[in-house]
Amino acid sequence: MTLQIPSSLLPSDGRFGAGPSKVRPAQARALLSAGDPAHPVLGTSHRQSGVKDLVHRVRHGLAELFDLPEGYEVALGNGGSTAFWEVATASLVRERAQHAVFGEFGAKFAASTRRAPFLAEPEVVEAAPGSVAHLASSAAVDVYASPHNETSTGAMAPVRRPAGTDQLVLTDATSGAGALPVDLRETDVYYFGPQKVFGADGGLWLALCSPAAIERAAEVEASGGARWVPEFLSLTTALANSRLDQTLNTPAVGTLVMLADQVEWILAQGGLAWSSERCATSAGILYDWAERRAWASPFVSEPAERSTVVGTVDLDEHVDAAAVVGHLRDNGILDVFPYRKLGRNQVRVGMFPAVEPEDVAALTGSIDFVVDQLM
Ligand SMILES: *Cc1c(COP(=O)(O)O)cnc(C)c1O
């Protein structure tokens, strides 16, 4: 049975994924127009000025967007945020890390440092999915790690240094960077990928690194002993290449084009304050709607912890979320399924800056229509 949502209810764009996420048409057009006719960028060497100029735009655009504090540097490399967990494990943790775990992504980084034979068992501060775990000062750790936005559950945590520590703080901002307020002085490494807020393709990691983090990597990588730091996982090597506006090995050039376009688009609209407010507006629409429906409720109970970029809404047992998601998909509303391993009767909505707040409102109207038909 195909259930047809009236076109007057449908959003103008049906992409609500939590990553890869909606690509603006202008970003796709930028792929065609990158460079000039005599010097196209796609299909040319990443060691020449065309691609290096792109990396330069990305690094300088991010520095402006995040109001980069004195001495911080923008590094990038291949492999996405998952690769960056291994970079951090190899290059930044001296002996023991503490991880705030309140969902799948925080847990995955904790698994990385636990697996490293040269590191001690990590400390884990855990909270149930749908809430937030906070880093706690500890004399036994030299790295603190927390997600900024836990994409698997739709909970966000403030970026804050634990009191009284001079050890490193690492923030997984993969789905929050560029759309959540942040003061980078509260962290030493703020890392993310291009396929969420920045609406590009995956495959890269970007890391905003403090002088202390840069110094730590140099110290750890030079320490030798039982640790082998492959060149691919060396933050020091990545930094050296980034300073030359290049990557250790060949990057996806199309990703860089779309990323540069999105960074400059956000800056032109008003920067981080603009994007944060726009996403908060979208989130307000989603959560207000969920609270007004008898059969829906925000998954994250504490309002201040409800993500303003990735919203999760539980549906009650009489409404089959998988069926709702399937009907939405048939009507061109895509990727609002919950994180697989969370296993909840839920919809999850990416509300990144590219998504129009009116489209989030249209999405809620479309869900109302589907649920009404199913009941
Ligand atoms: C998507 C995501 C990741 C994984 O990113 P990849 O680029 O696929 O490695 C890690 N952390 C968070 C918070 C994410 O949202």
Side-chain angles (χ1 to χ4, degrees):
M1 176 195 74
T2 311
L3 198 161
Q4 193 146 6
I5 301 173
S7 56
S8 60
L9 292 179
L10 290 172
S12 66
D13 193 299
R15 290 173 290 183
F16 294 98
S21 62
K22 177 180 170 185
V23 177
R24 283 178 308 108
Q27 287 174 282
R29 283 196 300 274
L31 287 170
L32 296 173
S33 60
D36 60 64
H39 303 90
V41 171
L42 292 186
T44 68
S45 171
H46 60 295
R47 302 294 180 211
Q48 298 298 312
S49 60
V51 177
K52 285 182 154 202
D53 286 349
L54 261 183
V55 174
H56 187 84
R57 279 171 56 198
V58 166
R59 293 180 66 240
H60 286 258
L62 291 174
E64 187 179 343
L65 184 63
F66 289 101
D67 197 9
L68 211 63
E70 181 71 27
Y72 279 57
E73 294 188 44
V74 182
L76 72 165
N78 281 312
S81 294
T82 301
F84 193 79
W85 292 327
E86 310 304 346
V87 170
T89 299
S91 298
L92 291 172
V93 186
R94 228 184 245 137
E95 260 180 52
R96 191 196 305 270
Q98 181 186 99
H99 297 268
V101 173
F102 47 99
E104 282 297 319
F105 291 106
K108 285 183 185 194
F109 187 15
S112 293
T113 65
R114 185 175 293 117
R115 238 183 264 120
F118 45 83
L119 296 179
E121 181 70 17
E123 284 184 1
V124 173
V125 186
E126 204 162 355
S131 61
V132 162
H134 296 280
L135 297 168
S137 304
S138 165
V141 305
D142 52 78
V143 156
Y144 294 90
S146 176
H148 194 180
N149 186 70
E150 182 44 85
T151 321
S152 67
T153 66
M156 61 181 185
V159 176
R160 219 184 285 132
R161 282 184 194 283
T165 180
D166 58 356
Q167 300 300 335
L168 298 183
V169 177
L170 276 46
T171 307
D172 179 355
T174 307
S175 60
L180 296 183
V182 66
D183 176 356
L184 287 187
R185 286 167 301 200
E186 293 290 331
T187 183
D188 293 291
V189 184
Y190 192 72
Y191 63 93
F192 49 93
Q195 76 275 29
K196 303 195 181 181
V197 170
F198 296 102
D201 270 330
L204 277 183
W205 58 258
L206 298 118
L208 315 180
C209 303
S210 75
I214 295 165
E215 198 180 304
R216 172 72 70 86
E219 169 217 308
V220 166
E221 293 180 40
S223 63
R227 185 178 317 209
W228 166 56
V229 182
E231 190 177 38
F232 193 67
L233 301 183
S234 161
L235 184 57
T236 304
T237 301
L239 280 159
N241 279 293
S242 302
R243 287 170 191 141
L244 301 173
D245 290 326
Q246 60 184 13
T247 44
L248 171 66
N249 63 321
T250 319
V253 177
T255 302
L256 288 168
V257 172
M258 292 191 287
L259 170 60
D261 188 82
Q262 184 81 336
V263 170
E264 289 165 8
W265 175 68
I266 294 175
L267 283 169
Q269 304 301 309
L272 197 55
W274 170 82
S275 61
S276 304
E277 196 181 311
R278 178 171 163 90
C279 296
T281 299
S282 291
I285 292 167
L286 181 75
Y287 296 129
D288 286 350
W289 163 80
E291 285 188 318
R292 279 196 246 104
R293 294 294 170 273
W295 40 267
S297 54
F299 171 48
V300 176
S301 51
E302 178 56 53
E305 295 174 350
R306 287 176 192 159
S307 172
T308 52
V309 276
V310 178
T312 46
V313 174
D314 278 349
L315 305 186
D316 86 13
E317 59 197 16
H318 308 297
V319 183
D320 178 357
V324 172
V325 169
H327 287 300
L328 292 171
R329 184 167 185 86
D330 290 345
N331 284 271
I333 296 176
L334 308 178
D335 299 342
V336 294
F337 47 80
Y339 191 79
R340 192 171 22 96
K341 282 199 202 146
L342 195 59
R344 294 191 72 89
N345 194 48
Q346 183 178 88
V347 294
R348 180 175 61 150
V349 181
M351 302 171 290
F352 298 118
V355 172
E356 302 294 333
E358 304 87 81
D359 277 351
V360 175
L363 166 66
T364 63
S366 297
I367 296 176
D368 280 344
F369 179 85
V370 169
V371 170
D372 196 46
Q373 300 291 308
L374 294 180
M375 296 272 239

